[in-house]
Amino acid sequence: MKVSCTRSSLSSVALVFGLILALGYVSESAVANPNGLAKQINPGLQAGFYNGRCRNKTLDIQAFIEDEVKNQYQIDQTILPAFLRLQFHDCFVIGCDASILINETSAEITAGANAGVRGIDFIDALKVKVEAKCPGIVSCADIIAICTKAVLKLGGGPDYPVQTGRRDGTRSNAQDVDLPSPFDVAQSFAFFKPKNFTLAEMVTLLGCHTIGIAHCRFFKYRLYNDTSEYDPNMDENLRQKLMQTCPQNDVASDNEAFLDQSEEIPHIEKFDISYFSQILSERGLLPIDQAIGRDPSTNTTVSDFVKDPTSFNTKLAQIMVKLQAVEVLTGVNGNIRKVCSKFN
């Protein structure tokens, strides 16, 4: 299922729909330390991995990358959902190895599920700057992880010590991209459980829908009672509003609506728990969004986030570290690309 997570008309795959179905195996769960941050969950990754590794031993290359992201965010805040999607879609398919960045015929980026993925040009340009300061040291996979963490914090999401030490993959095939889209909790969790993720973690990751938009074609059938997927329990005020956005007989256009259906602008533009409040009020836009609010197995987690808003960022910080460690290449595996969009 394609869902755009920018405010533009670009279509994209839902951030977490693909994530639910393709997260790689992680052998150890993230656990919180007394500061609420995620501990190391892969022996090949560590916070501050690049300290002292550049030819200028005092250069903080991670801080340099974060500053570049901050500068870009001030120009274009839609890089937040763009980088979240890029990170998720990279990790979904054979792990977090920057394979999604490869620009070749039949590479991952050419798969339909990756249509509209943004941020690759920015990372390619950033890699040039990084190579000038610290040649042959920083992987493209780590640049994605650092950029995602930096922009998430800028958008009101959690801060956490991003763990680095990933190496880049040497394979990128469109045929490896298999990202079907779940519609209910059971279907979603059937893919989460074998990957060592819990229901609560699934709900937390779906909280990334606090930002971004979805096109009419992915929820329009819920609005009209002559369709098999009509949802009579949707908030009626929301239904009437969405019917104006997505007219039943208008097949030529494919308008868009915010995933977070709060009436207040600060909520739909900021990473917060408004998304969870909305689905408890039967105002979820996508089927899986509303499903986690209704299903008894996930409703408690949704309610807990609404009752304790700070817990969402705490939990998400832990799970982002876990996500970014999915099937990573470290040590002598993989390599460090000179150009992120090309194999060495």
Side-chain angles (χ1 to χ4, degrees):
M1 175 171 289
K2 294 182 180 179
V3 178
S4 173
C5 288
T6 73
R7 295 189 66 183
S8 72
S9 60
L10 292 172
S11 65
S12 60
V13 179
L15 291 177
V16 186
F17 279 17
L19 175 63
I20 288 171
L21 296 175
L23 281 168
Y25 178 71
V26 178
S27 60
E28 181 182 350
S29 297
V31 291
N33 66 22
N35 296 320
L37 300 175
K39 291 183 178 180
Q40 181 177 349
I41 63 174
N42 184 296
L45 300 178
Q46 65 182 71
F49 177 83
Y50 292 111
N51 291 348
R53 291 177 183 261
C54 299
R55 57 191 177 193
N56 177 355
K57 300 300 182 182
T58 63
L59 174 65
D60 187 339
I61 194 64
Q62 181 171 321
F64 171 77
I65 294 171
E66 291 178 353
D67 284 343
E68 291 292 309
V69 173
K70 181 178 180 180
N71 292 338
Q72 184 64 21
Y73 182 77
Q74 291 173 344
I75 299 170
D76 177 14
Q77 295 187 3
T78 70
I79 65 168
L80 169 53
F83 275 124
L84 281 171
R85 184 183 178 219
L86 182 66
Q87 177 74 88
F88 292 155
H89 280 227
D90 183 43
C91 294
F92 302 165
V93 182
I94 64 174
C96 310
D97 64 351
S99 54
I100 195 172
L101 301 180
I102 296 297
N103 183 16
E104 290 185 358
T105 303
S106 76
E108 284 179 26
I109 193 60
T110 67
N114 287 327
V117 163
R118 297 189 303 127
I120 294 176
D121 290 344
F122 175 81
I123 289 181
D124 250 356
L126 179 54
K127 175 66 169 175
V128 173
K129 297 178 181 179
V130 170
E131 284 293 301
K133 293 180 173 293
C134 191
I137 300 296
V138 184
S139 71
C140 300
D142 275 343
I143 292 177
I144 294 175
I146 295 168
C147 286
T148 301
K149 176 260 184 178
V151 77
L152 187 61
K153 178 184 177 182
L154 288 168
D159 189 13
Y160 55 91
V162 64
Q163 296 172 4
T164 46
R166 298 165 192 78
R167 288 166 67 84
D168 299 322
T170 57
R171 165 183 177 144
S172 181
N173 296 322
Q175 64 186 19
D176 291 332
V177 181
D178 182 18
L179 305 175
S181 302
F183 287 84
D184 59 56
V185 171
Q187 183 186 12
S188 300
F189 192 53
F191 290 90
F192 248 103
K193 187 175 181 180
K195 310 304 182 184
N196 199 33
F197 283 79
T198 67
L199 271 172
E201 289 171 332
M202 181 183 80
V203 172
T204 306
L205 285 168
L206 277 168
C208 290
H209 284 178
T210 188
I211 56 170
I213 62 171
H215 287 270
C216 288
R217 64 186 181 276
F218 301 121
F219 60 84
K220 183 175 179 178
Y221 54 81
R222 299 182 62 214
L223 308 178
Y224 298 98
N225 59 15
D226 60 350
T227 65
S228 60
E229 300 297 331
Y230 173 68
D231 186 351
N233 295 314
M234 178 183 285
D235 175 82
E236 191 57 33
N237 290 330
L238 175 62
R239 187 194 315 283
Q240 294 301 319
K241 173 185 171 184
L242 293 176
M243 289 171 74
Q244 295 180 36
T245 302
C246 308
Q248 185 172 20
N249 298 320
D250 184 0
V251 296
S253 63
D254 189 21
N255 296 328
E256 55 195 35
F258 288 106
L259 288 167
D260 182 344
Q261 278 297 313
S262 171
E263 299 294 335
E264 301 178 52
I265 294 296
H267 289 305
I268 60 179
E269 295 184 336
K270 185 178 180 182
F271 219 88
D272 60 18
I273 56 88
S274 175
Y275 159 84
F276 294 111
S277 299
Q278 292 297 303
I279 62 179
L280 287 181
S281 300
E282 294 290 341
R283 295 176 59 86
L285 196 66
L286 300 174
I288 188 61
D289 294 336
Q290 194 55 66
I292 63 172
R294 293 173 179 169
D295 194 297
S297 67
T298 51
N299 174 271
T300 299
T301 301
V302 173
S303 299
D304 286 346
F305 283 144
V306 173
K307 293 174 184 176
D308 181 10
T310 60
S311 66
F312 173 53
N313 272 2
T314 300
K315 297 290 186 183
L316 185 61
Q318 298 169 13
I319 297 169
M320 286 302 295
V321 173
K322 182 174 180 177
L323 166 67
Q324 292 179 329
V326 168
E327 293 184 344
V328 292
L329 300 172
T330 60
V332 298
N333 297 312
N335 57 30
I336 305 298
R337 284 188 215 138
K338 296 181 177 71
V339 177
C340 286
S341 57
K342 298 179 182 180
F343 291 124
N344 291 343

